Amino acid sequence: LTTNKVGLVTLVVERNKTYNVFASKKGFIDAEQNFSTSNEDGKIIQLELALTPIKKGEKFKLENIFYDLNKSTLREESIASLDKLADFILKNDLKIELSAHTDSRGSATYNQRLSQARAQTCVDYLLKKGVKAFNIRAKGYGESQLMNKCKDGVACEEELHQENRRTEVKILEIN
């Protein structure tokens, strides 16, 4: 759907369904949100997706990019997010750094190599989608930028380790 000039869109949705709302505009970082409807008839649901202007140096987590422990291959559920990123880069003519991070399990040297391989896997996929090599670079940070307390020697649940195995995008240049 296309919004009006103030960004408003109205639509009728089905009851007892889950929806994914995605918004994009040239010059802004895309936004996405899920919502579910209830069984009530005539209920009004209001969502607001704030689009952040693209700025050099801006960094954001690329959602739904998943890697298994000790692997650099993408899981199938990662493809949709990378497709959206390819479209975003091409639409906005951006240069980006795509960075990958690991959990703290394994040696720092091993994790550095693994994160570089993960970043490169994503970049290789984006190149196949038409992103030019000079518009994207892969950077592995290993375990140097953990998101939580799960550093060496700290016992953590798998979900917390997964949080550290992430992929981020940094805007390097807006052409």
Side-chain angles (χ1 to χ4, degrees):
L1 299 170
T2 303
T3 66
N4 65 16
K5 60 184 171 183
V6 295
L8 181 67
V9 65
T10 303
L11 70 146
V12 177
V13 294
E14 294 181 39
R15 297 186 305 191
N16 298 316
K17 298 278 183 178
T18 299
Y19 290 88
N20 178 273
V21 179
F22 177 78
S24 69
K25 182 176 179 179
K26 185 177 171 99
F28 292 82
I29 295 174
D30 297 341
E32 187 171 13
Q33 185 176 343
N34 293 321
F35 73 93
S36 296
T37 59
S38 67
N39 195 30
E40 297 176 56
D41 194 24
K43 183 175 180 180
I44 296 174
I45 299 170
Q46 291 185 323
L47 295 177
E48 184 174 321
L49 294 179
L51 298 179
T52 306
I54 297 171
K55 296 179 191 149
K56 184 176 179 177
E58 187 83 25
K59 187 159 81 169
F60 58 92
K61 180 180 176 189
L62 192 56
E63 297 295 335
N64 301 317
I65 302 294
F66 301 109
Y67 311 98
D68 291 321
L69 178 64
N70 296 323
K71 304 280 185 190
S72 63
T73 52
L74 291 167
R75 292 188 196 165
E76 186 63 31
E77 62 262 35
S78 303
I79 300 304
S81 288
L82 287 172
D83 287 345
K84 288 178 187 176
L85 179 61
D87 183 56
F88 175 71
I89 294 166
L90 294 168
K91 178 176 65 180
N92 291 289
D93 194 18
L94 301 172
K95 285 190 179 181
I96 69 158
E97 174 187 276
L98 191 141
S99 61
H101 304 262
T102 65
D103 60 41
S104 64
R105 296 177 287 187
S107 73
T109 302
Y110 173 80
N111 285 333
Q112 180 61 42
R113 281 196 303 266
L114 178 61
S115 65
Q116 186 63 42
R118 288 175 172 175
Q120 192 60 54
T121 297
C122 290
V123 166
D124 291 345
Y125 181 85
L126 293 169
L127 293 173
K128 290 179 190 172
K129 290 299 199 171
V131 175
K132 302 295 181 210
F134 58 83
N135 281 353
I136 188 167
R137 75 172 181 218
K139 176 70 174 152
Y141 286 97
E143 61 183 81
S144 67
Q145 298 179 3
L146 298 175
M147 299 293 293
N148 54 40
K149 65 180 174 100
C150 298
K151 60 185 178 183
D152 290 336
V154 176
C156 288
E157 295 181 12
E158 181 58 31
E159 298 83 40
L160 292 173
H161 285 299
Q162 179 68 47
E163 184 181 319
N164 288 319
R165 293 191 305 266
R166 68 192 187 281
T167 303
E168 295 177 328
V169 173
K170 181 178 180 181
I171 308 297
L172 299 175
E173 199 173 307
I174 305 165
N175 298 321

